[in-house]
Amino acid sequence: MSDTGTSPVIPGSQANHSRPVLWLITLVAVGLSLFQLYSAGIEPLGLFYQRSIHLMMIMMLAFLMFPLLGPKHDRGIVTGLIDTVFFAGALLTGGYLVLFLDEIINRAGFWSQTDILVGCIATLTVLEAARRAVGLGMTVIGIIAILYAFAGPRGELPWLGAFLPGILEHRGYNLDRLVGQLYLGQEGIFGLPMGVAATYIFIFVLFGAFLEITGAGKFFIDLAYAATGRQRGGPAKAAVIASAGMGSISGSAIANVVTTGAFTIPLMKRLGYKPHQAGGIEAAASTGGQIMPPLMGAGAFLIAEYTRMPYLEIVKVSILPAIMYFSTVYLFVHIIALKQGMQGMARSELPQMRDVMQEGWHFLLPLLVLVWLLVMNMSPMRVGYYAILTMLAVAVLRFAVWFLFIAPRNGQKVTAETLREAVKAGLIKLVGGLELGARNAVAVSMACAVAGIIVGVVGLTGLGLKFSSMMMAFSGGNLLLALVMVLLASLVLGMGLPVTASYIVLIVLVGPALTAEFGVPLLIAHLVVFWYSQDSNVTPPIALAGFAGAAIAGAKPMDTGFQAWKFAKGLYLIPLFMVYNPEIIMGGSIPVLVWTAVIGFLALGAFAAALEGFLFTWMSWPVRLVLLPAIVAAFYPNLMLEVAGVVVMILAMGGNWLASRREANVAGAGPA
């Protein structure tokens, strides 16, 4: 296989930039990447310093890369002046905090008018930068959140509060209070989402960029083709399996995305998956790593502590649901490969595994270092730093081997001039990698900045706790409705809290009600809440794992988030199955366990087929509609209904298989 690689898509490259702007983009991008490397591996910085400098340089890049009116319009005098004003706003946003952080902390809660003015400028600058880099949708959501904070009797827009339903009412907040929350506190723009973007998301996006410029990307593409090229959707299936393994030890869905995704997402794109599909698949699979024993993102230890059950017991009962989840993602991957007509390649068209390994085995070293350091429980940001250093060391070593041994053996004359040219080319590639990594991080960082605005409003108005505390009142004693309310509450809480914290808050609020009022077994109640606490990783508008996948895939964050949400449907359905079929967790006779497991896998497979409208071949709307009540029947704890649902699902999917065979026979009997 001569070449399986293509040039990377550089964000913002569609615009017609002048030469000074191009030089400025390179300067800022390289400076940002070097700053991130320094803070990741040499001198860690404080929270506000790290996040404010990161956001400042990201926004500077956004205003340089994306003109006011879009990539199809050149900068004129007026638009150039506006871009310059926003560029200055980006400098002010980060520079003000860096220069006056001590004074700002000392007057916490008693902000000066300058603090508030700069905070207003920062908020407007973030919203505009997000509009350019992410799209109008994310900016509109941020504006709605701000208007919601102002709605109320004590807010800037009291009349707006009259339009809010009773559950959404709050006291309302003035400009000073809101700006203090969004810009001058740790729960707004510089909160958890920005912290994630400014640390290990960026460092692993940079790692992915270096994979491309050193040639390691081509090696892994060839390796994947050699191993799975004959299968439909092979690299994507490998991504699902790799994410299950990596996620079980990484402890973070986002860290899982940026570690495995740096390798798997380019392979999926090369195979034919759209960028947002590739990022979504990786995000959904990586989120599953948090429910896969043994670590479960540290959740197994917490569940064991709360339920007073042995840790080993938590691990044992979590294995089957985790396998069900990954089987669902795997099936989605397979169906998409069939729908999009992805074909396996002939053996003659594929590289030989032996040749690929002989040429590029040394590129496995960064991956081995990466996995080893994660197992050693080193922080993901530091892991990414050492992985990048290992990648660069491997590239230098490869060049030295070529220069000292391979070139002379092949009769190539190596002179001082050729050496100088090679070193120059290497330095250009190095700068290109630093620039590409920074460019690729712009969209995801801006999405996280606006997510911070939403998080700040949720925390300020008490919306998250309000959802949780009122859940049971709205359920009216209906278990299914109560579980839906738990899901909504977990999503809102997940906007402002890490997964583990969201689980803790939610189980304290709704756990007693689930067990005492609805009779859900204690362990299942904890597992349901823990599973649902993962949904902020894959559910827009705050799909952090999806945003990380989008950064690597070069896709739009919101599009990728919706794809992750689709592929992660098992995250919502399997907890329901556990509640209505508790024997799959609590144990029972072997026949009952086998039957429950079989109908669970069958129902999830039927759901994936009904959602995609495809299994072995295209599925008609009547068949898809018939499958839905059959899936519900399989979930319901009644043997007769379960049997009826299973029969309908087998008939529908069996009929789809027969239809595919008839289509194949008709195609084979066509004119010679």
Side-chain angles (χ1 to χ4, degrees):
M1 200 170 184
S2 59
D3 184 14
T4 57
T6 59
S7 299
V9 176
I10 300 175
S13 59
Q14 302 92 338
N16 296 319
H17 300 302
S18 64
R19 185 172 293 276
V21 171
L22 288 173
W23 277 107
L24 196 52
I25 289 173
T26 301
L27 182 64
V28 175
V30 171
L32 173 58
S33 293
L34 292 176
F35 161 74
Q36 295 284 162
L37 285 170
Y38 176 82
S39 60
I42 299 174
E43 184 65 38
L45 300 178
L47 179 150
F48 272 107
Y49 288 115
Q50 175 73 31
R51 299 178 187 183
S52 61
I53 295 173
H54 172 85
L55 180 61
M56 175 185 72
M57 300 185 77
I58 283 287
M59 289 199 297
M60 289 165 62
L61 270 181
F63 293 124
L64 289 170
M65 290 164 51
F66 305 102
L68 177 68
L69 301 178
K72 296 181 180 179
H73 297 82
D74 293 337
R75 281 189 173 91
I77 296 176
V78 176
T79 57
L81 182 60
I82 295 173
D83 287 349
T84 303
V85 170
F86 277 113
F87 187 87
L91 278 169
L92 182 63
T93 298
Y96 185 75
L97 280 178
V98 171
L99 294 175
F100 303 106
L101 183 60
D102 291 340
E103 291 92 330
I104 292 171
I105 292 174
N106 288 335
R107 58 176 177 263
F110 301 94
W111 316 118
S112 68
Q113 287 305 304
T114 305
D115 295 338
I116 301 303
L117 177 60
V118 174
C120 291
I121 294 172
T123 304
L124 291 173
T125 306
V126 165
L127 291 171
E128 173 59 12
R131 182 193 69 82
R132 300 188 190 200
V134 183
L136 185 60
M138 197 75 183
T139 301
V140 169
I141 293 172
I143 292 172
I144 291 173
I146 292 172
L147 292 177
Y148 175 69
F150 284 149
R154 299 186 185 180
E156 298 285 349
L157 303 172
W159 58 269
L160 193 57
F163 296 95
L164 294 177
I167 187 177
L168 296 179
E169 288 180 357
H170 60 90
R171 64 190 292 270
Y173 296 90
N174 59 29
L175 183 65
D176 289 9
R177 184 71 177 86
L178 180 61
V179 170
Q181 176 83 353
L182 297 187
Y183 179 67
L184 299 165
Q186 297 182 28
E187 296 181 0
I189 292 170
F190 299 109
L192 176 70
M194 179 51 58
V196 169
T199 52
Y200 44 84
I201 282 185
F202 187 97
I203 209 70
F204 279 100
V205 168
L206 187 59
F207 177 60
F210 278 114
L211 282 176
E212 292 190 42
I213 62 108
T214 59
K218 180 182 183 302
F219 164 72
F220 286 108
I221 290 169
D222 284 347
L223 194 65
Y225 269 102
T228 62
R230 300 185 70 189
Q231 302 178 24
R232 293 176 182 265
K237 294 172 181 175
V240 175
I241 297 169
S243 294
M246 183 69 72
S248 65
I249 61 172
S250 72
S252 166
I254 300 164
N256 195 0
V257 170
V258 295
T259 49
T260 60
F263 300 97
T264 58
I265 289 175
L267 306 182
M268 287 187 269
K269 289 170 62 179
R270 196 60 44 90
L271 189 69
Y273 290 93
K274 297 171 184 175
H276 61 284
Q277 286 179 333
I281 290 169
E282 181 59 50
S286 296
T287 299
Q290 305 313 290
I291 54 178
M292 172 64 77
L295 292 186
M296 297 168 61
F301 301 103
L302 285 167
I303 294 172
E305 182 68 24
Y306 276 115
T307 60
R308 302 294 181 187
M309 297 183 69
Y311 164 74
L312 188 59
E313 187 68 22
I314 306 297
V315 168
K316 283 166 54 181
V317 301
S318 299
I319 291 174
L320 183 57
I323 293 174
M324 293 173 72
Y325 175 85
F326 280 104
S327 298
T328 307
V329 179
Y330 192 94
L331 183 58
F332 270 117
V333 166
H334 180 70
I335 289 174
I336 289 175
L338 292 174
K339 283 177 67 175
Q340 295 182 192
M342 299 178 192
Q343 298 293 330
M345 300 177 67
R347 189 185 298 274
S348 59
E349 297 177 313
L350 294 169
Q352 296 299 310
M353 180 68 74
R354 182 180 57 191
D355 296 337
V356 174
M357 290 300 295
Q358 185 177 347
E359 286 290 325
W361 63 268
H362 47 276
F363 285 126
L364 292 173
L365 292 176
L367 180 60
L368 294 175
V369 168
L370 188 149
V371 173
W372 177 62
L373 292 177
L374 282 174
V375 172
M376 295 296 291
N377 205 28
M378 188 176 287
S379 75
M381 189 166 71
R382 186 62 64 91
V383 169
Y385 172 76
Y386 284 121
I388 290 172
L389 291 187
T390 307
M391 174 62 64
L392 294 176
V394 165
V396 172
L397 184 61
R398 188 183 191 195
F399 171 74
V401 170
W402 172 84
F403 177 73
L404 295 174
F405 302 106
I406 297 177
R409 190 177 63 190
N410 293 339
Q412 294 178 265
K413 187 176 181 181
V414 179
T415 64
E417 182 63 27
T418 58
L419 177 61
R420 193 161 44 247
E421 290 297 322
V423 171
K424 180 180 177 182
L427 291 175
I428 291 174
K429 279 192 173 184
L430 176 63
V431 172
L434 293 169
E435 179 180 352
L436 180 61
R439 281 175 174 260
N440 286 344
V442 170
V444 67
S445 289
M446 290 316 308
C448 287
V450 178
I453 291 176
I454 300 169
V455 166
V457 172
V458 167
L460 184 65
T461 60
L463 186 61
L465 293 176
K466 190 180 296 186
F467 261 76
S468 301
S469 62
M470 300 186 69
M471 177 199 69
M472 292 305 167
F474 278 88
S475 66
N478 185 290
L479 177 57
L480 178 61
L481 191 55
L483 292 171
V484 171
M485 295 300 295
V486 172
L487 179 60
L488 292 174
S490 70
L491 177 59
V492 176
L493 279 175
M495 293 180 181
L497 296 174
V499 166
T500 304
S502 177
Y503 155 71
I504 293 170
V505 171
L506 203 55
I507 197 61
V508 169
L509 290 170
V510 307
L514 286 176
T515 54
E517 295 186 26
F518 294 101
V520 177
L522 179 64
L523 177 56
I524 292 179
H526 278 263
L527 287 173
V528 166
V529 171
F530 181 71
W531 275 56
Y532 282 164
S533 296
Q534 312 290 331
D535 65 350
S536 62
N537 282 314
V538 290
T539 308
I542 314 294
L544 294 182
F547 292 167
I552 299 171
K556 293 182 178 179
M558 290 301 289
D559 290 349
T560 307
F562 279 109
Q563 287 294 313
W565 182 59
K566 181 179 80 170
F567 293 128
K569 283 296 186 291
L571 199 64
Y572 313 102
L573 296 178
I574 295 172
L576 289 176
F577 190 75
M578 289 190 284
V579 169
Y580 287 105
N581 298 272
E583 59 273 5
I584 200 170
I585 297 297
M586 306 308 295
S589 64
I590 297 298
V592 171
L593 283 175
V594 171
W595 169 253
T596 305
V598 167
I599 64 173
F601 280 107
L602 191 63
L604 290 169
F607 178 81
L611 190 64
E612 288 290 333
F614 196 101
L615 186 58
F616 302 101
T617 186
W618 292 99
M619 191 174 283
S620 64
W621 272 105
V623 174
R624 296 168 71 178
L625 293 175
V626 166
L627 275 176
L628 294 179
I631 295 166
V632 173
F635 273 63
Y636 199 75
N638 180 287
L639 183 60
M640 296 303 297
L641 285 177
E642 288 177 353
V643 171
V646 167
V647 169
V648 171
M649 287 188 289
I650 290 176
L651 289 175
M653 292 191 286
N656 188 258
W657 179 77
L658 291 174
S660 72
R661 302 309 301 163
R662 286 195 299 270
E663 291 174 5
N665 291 334
V666 170

